Amino acid sequence: ATLLPSADCPSLRAIEVSAANTDFSSVDGVLFNHTGTDILWFPLGKTGTFTLPSTVTKIGENAFAGTGITGLVIPPTVTEIGRGAFAGSALEEISLPDNMSNISEGMFQGCAHLGTVRAGSGTRYVGNYAFDGTALADLYVGATVPPFVAAEALVNGSTTLPQTCVLHVPAGCKKIYRNHKSWGLFEHIEEYKP
């Protein structure tokens, strides 16, 4: 069985699934696959901060798209987040796990209130339009080797992130980021201790 999250239910706060269902399950009103490893749909009407269960290893495409949550705690078990997973949501800040390698295409596109993203040490790739339409002021990249940046990854509306956002990199890594063809475009690069 499959489903596609719907933007037509802005007041929906919970999704309940029968314990007998062999395809899906629900925890705290959130829809998962039967084993609870993949989050499939987060109700649009749920607000505040949400903590994902430690059983989760994957966040599906568009799973949080358009939701009202302002914060999300992602467990270190998560290794994959689908395209557009948080697009258009009310997220203000987020930290991605160290063992997640890809910031997928359009992951945060249209998150107008998103001011801070912390990408983990395992980050290897940033997809197109990942941060387009955000209020991103601080981007922390925990990788000591600069991740590959897709051609349109640093686009943000009519400007680019290097003009408006501070890039924070691990202590001792400023020079390698400054000399990178994409990351080096950031006007402000600061070191931090992860």
Side-chain angles (χ1 to χ4, degrees):
T2 60
L3 64 88
L4 180 65
S6 170
D8 296 331
C9 305
S11 299
L12 183 67
R13 292 188 180 162
I15 300 164
E16 301 300 330
V17 176
S18 164
N21 192 305
T22 58
D23 293 313
F24 304 111
S25 63
S26 66
V27 177
D28 294 329
V30 179
L31 187 68
F32 295 86
N33 64 344
H34 182 67
T35 58
T37 58
D38 298 5
I39 182 168
L40 304 172
W41 189 7
F42 192 89
L44 297 182
K46 241 177 166 23
T47 58
T49 297
F50 185 78
T51 300
L52 286 174
S54 60
T55 56
V56 177
T57 59
K58 178 182 177 185
I59 297 174
E61 287 189 15
N62 303 310
F64 288 87
T67 62
I69 61 163
T70 53
L72 179 68
V73 178
I74 303 175
T77 51
V78 172
T79 58
E80 183 181 347
I81 299 179
R83 290 183 300 176
F86 307 106
S89 72
L91 280 176
E92 296 173 355
E93 184 174 332
I94 194 163
S95 295
L96 303 174
D98 284 334
N99 56 359
M100 199 186 90
S101 61
N102 292 344
I103 296 177
S104 60
E105 184 175 321
M107 185 183 287
F108 301 107
Q109 192 169 26
C111 293
H113 305 288
L114 185 64
T116 304
V117 171
R118 291 178 176 83
S121 61
T123 306
R124 299 290 174 260
Y125 173 81
V126 181
N128 285 326
Y129 307 105
F131 308 107
D132 185 35
T134 67
L136 203 62
D138 294 284
L139 175 59
Y140 291 79
V141 180
T144 55
V145 175
F148 177 81
V149 179
E152 303 295 326
L154 302 179
V155 167
N156 191 10
S158 60
T159 64
T160 64
L161 288 182
Q163 296 169 308
T164 59
C165 179
V166 176
L167 175 64
H168 302 266
V169 300
C173 295
K174 184 174 181 176
K175 185 175 181 182
I176 192 170
Y177 274 85
R178 177 58 69 207
N179 291 331
H180 189 274
K181 67 176 185 173
S182 297
W183 296 108
L185 297 174
F186 276 80
E187 294 176 18
H188 303 285
I189 300 177
E190 296 179 5
E191 293 186 352
Y192 76 102
K193 287 196 181 281

